[in-house]
Every structure is written in structure tokens, then in C-alpha cells.
């Protein structure tokens, strides 16, 4: 049996935890900047995950190898040269890469509270920023999101970001929140699952900030087959194994270390919707 590689693409710096690349013919790419927070533990988490896949899929021990990349750009190069068969992609990466590669959604990785899978806009408590930013042209927006079409999706196609906002340059989400607190920006975009990081600033008794904007819910991480690269038998075997991957302890922890708590076959209802928005919103 040919070996199967799982490639973890992280949107951050050094690949110190990266495993060697083998000459395997079946490969899967995971793109998720959130996994960078695990630092040098990431490779061990990948190893545990692929070992679990071996067990539930009936693959031979050692038939799956993991490797870490640091950005979607690095993963893009691997996609072109190594032609992986599968990918596990958060919503933004999903809509971007599906424009370049024909994909079939085989399943998805979910969390316990899907309502947090949305963007929040934080504003100063006493500011005039309302719940409908499209009605307030000229707002100073602090965000590290550079993809204008993705911002168009976040604001549901109701505005043209590049014309509507004045952008305040920041390197990350924390800097965006700081820019609002320091009155350098009117609105900071924060991923909903991160909101607890800023709860001290959201206290009603003088925290100084409030949630002014809520985006529509985004779909969970998609497990896709790259149609030109994947063999039908491999896609079928992987799909069949998904419900068992994260089932029971310690397997839940293995999955949680990679950003999801369960894997389910089939597309989640919002995957086609967010793809349509990204392709068609003007």
C-alpha cells in the first residue's frame, strides 16, 4: 500500500516542528493558522492524529506521515508540486483554494458551539458604531485580513470593503483590539471563538469595549478530496472512517489538539453557501 502523508499548513513562522517529506503518493493538507499556538508540540499532535487514522481506517502502522508548514502560501506550493489527494480546510482557506482546485467535500470537523464560528466586531462602549457597519461609510477598521473578497463575505455583500473602510494596519487580532481601545480604529474584527481572550475589555462595569457587529455563522473545517488527485477508493475509505476518529477519550483530545472535536461525513449546510458568496458577491 502506498504511504499517505498529512501536511499541516500553518500561517506562521518557522517550520522547526516539520517532519521529513516522503515520496508517498497519497497526501492530505491541513491548513489552520490556529494550530500555530501549539508550537513545537504540533508535530506530536499530528503524529497522534495520523496514528488514530491508521487504526480506524485499517491502514498499516507507519503508513501515514505528517508534516508541518507555516502558511497557506507554503501549502500552495506543496499542492502544486506534490498533488495531495485530500485537504482539511477552515472556511477562508476552503473558499480560496477551491477556486484553484476542483474539490469534493467528504466531511467536516466541528466544535461544540457552532454559534462561535462567526466574526465579531468590537467597538468602544461609548462610540457611535452600530450593528450595521454598511450604513456607516468611512469607519476605521482594524483587521489582519487582507483578502477583500473574504471581508465582503464577512459583511454579507452589503459593502465594498476597499471603498467603505479606512484600514488601520495591524499584524494580528490582538493589535486590532488594541487599536480600538486606543481610539486609532473604530472597529476590530475578532474570530468568535477568541472572544473570551478579550472578556476583560468587554465587562459591563467599565471594560471599555462592546460587541457591535456579528457576522453570519461560518461553516466548520471542511475535509475535501482534490478530485484530480484523489482515488475513489481512498476517498471512500477516509469518509467511512471519519465518525470513529474522535470518538471517546483519548481520541477527543487528539482531535481537539488539531482544532476540532468530531469529524462527520458529508458537507455541512453552510459550505455551499459560503462558497457561493465568495464566488459571486461583488
Amino acid at each position: 500500500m502506498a504511504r499517505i502523508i498529512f501536511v499541516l499548513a500553518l500561517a506562521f513562522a518557522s517550520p522547526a516542528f516539520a517532519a521529513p517529506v516522503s515520496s508517498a503518493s497519497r497526501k492530505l493538507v491541513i491548513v489552520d493558522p490556529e494550530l500555530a499556538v501549539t508550537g513545537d508540540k504540533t508535530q506530536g499532535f499530528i503524529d497522534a492524529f495520523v496514528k488514530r487514522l491508521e487504526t480506524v481506517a485499517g491502514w498499516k502502522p507507519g503508513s501515514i506521515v505528517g508534516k508541518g508548514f507555516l502558511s497557506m502560501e507554503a501549502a500552495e506550493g506543496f499542492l502544486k508540486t506534490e498533488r495531495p489527494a485530500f485537504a482539511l480546510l477552515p472556511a477562508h482557506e476552503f473558499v480560496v483554494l477551491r477556486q484553484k482546485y476542483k474539490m469534493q467535500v467528504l466531511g467536516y470537523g466541528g466544535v461544540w458551539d457552532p454559534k462561535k464560528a462567526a466574526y465579531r466586531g468590537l467597538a468602544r462602549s461609548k462610540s457611535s458604531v452600530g450593528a450595521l457597519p454598511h450604513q456607516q461609510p468611512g469607519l476605521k477598521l482594524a483587521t489582519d485580513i487582507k483578502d477583500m473578497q473574504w471581508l465582503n463575505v464577512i459583511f454579507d455583500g452589503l459593502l465594498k470593503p476597499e471603498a467603505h473602510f479606512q484600514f488601520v494596519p495591524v499584524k494580528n487580532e490582538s493589535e486590532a483590539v488594541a487599536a480600538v481601545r486606543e481610539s486609532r480604529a473604530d472597529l476590530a474584527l475578532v474570530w468568535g471563538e477568541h472572544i473570551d481572550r478579550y472578556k476583560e475589555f468587554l465587562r459591563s462595569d467599565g471594560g471599555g469595549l462592546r460587541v457591535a457587529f456579528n457576522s453570519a455563522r461560518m461553516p466548520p473545517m471542511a475535509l475535501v478530496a482534490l478530485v484530480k488527485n484523489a482515488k475513489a477508493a481512498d476517498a471512500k475509505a477516509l469518509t467511512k472512517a471519519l465518525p470513529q476518529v474522535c470518538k471517546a477519550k483519548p481520541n477527543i483530545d487528539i482531535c481537539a489538539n488539531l482544532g476540532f472535536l468530531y469529524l462527520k461525513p458529508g458537507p455541512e449546510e453552510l459550505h455551499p453557501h459560503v462558497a457561493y458568496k465568495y464566488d459571486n458577491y461583488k
Side-chain angles (χ1 to χ4, degrees), residues 120-125 177 180-181 188 190-192 194-212:
R120 313 299 186 205
L122 304 189
R124 290 182 298 282
S125 299
V177 173
V180 172
R181 295 183 64 231
V190 172
W191 182 238
H194 300 168
I195 201 71
D196 285 347
R197 299 178 185 178
Y198 310 105
K199 60 184 179 182
E200 65 178 299
F201 306 131
L202 294 169
R203 299 193 319 268
S204 58
D205 59 343
L209 298 182
R210 60 186 170 87
V211 176

Side-chain angles (χ1 to χ4, degrees), residues 16 23 25-26 68 98 110 165 265:
S23 58
S25 61
R26 300 185 189 95
R98 65 175 289 280
F165 294 115

Side-chain angles (χ1 to χ4, degrees), residues 89-103:
L89 306 169
H92 183 209
E93 287 76 6
F94 168 67
V95 296
V96 172
L97 292 175
R98 65 175 289 280
Q99 290 190 329
K100 300 178 181 179
Y101 304 94
K102 186 176 181 181
M103 295 179 177

Side-chain angles (χ1 to χ4, degrees), residues 69-167:
F69 285 107
L70 305 175
S71 67
M72 190 163 69
E73 289 74 18
E76 180 72 30
F78 194 90
L79 281 162
K80 291 178 179 178
T81 60
E82 299 297 329
R83 297 174 57 84
F86 305 106
L88 192 56
L89 306 169
H92 183 209
E93 287 76 6
F94 168 67
V95 296
V96 172
L97 292 175
R98 65 175 289 280
Q99 290 190 329
K100 300 178 181 179
Y101 304 94
K102 186 176 181 181
M103 295 179 177
Q104 177 187 358
V105 179
L106 302 179
Y108 62 93
V111 295
W112 292 143
D113 189 357
K115 292 180 181 179
K116 290 186 177 181
Y119 290 90
R120 313 299 186 205
L122 304 189
R124 290 182 298 282
S125 299
K126 296 182 180 180
S127 74
S128 61
V129 178
L132 304 173
H134 66 278
Q135 295 181 355
Q136 295 181 278
L139 287 177
K140 294 180 180 179
L141 178 65
T143 178
D144 59 348
I145 297 172
K146 302 298 190 293
D147 184 347
M148 292 296 108
Q149 187 59 6
W150 185 239
L151 286 173
N152 199 7
V153 171
I154 291 170
F155 290 100
D156 213 21
L158 296 172
L159 52 81
K160 293 184 177 181
E162 60 272 29
H164 189 85
F165 294 115
Q166 299 179 56
F167 287 96

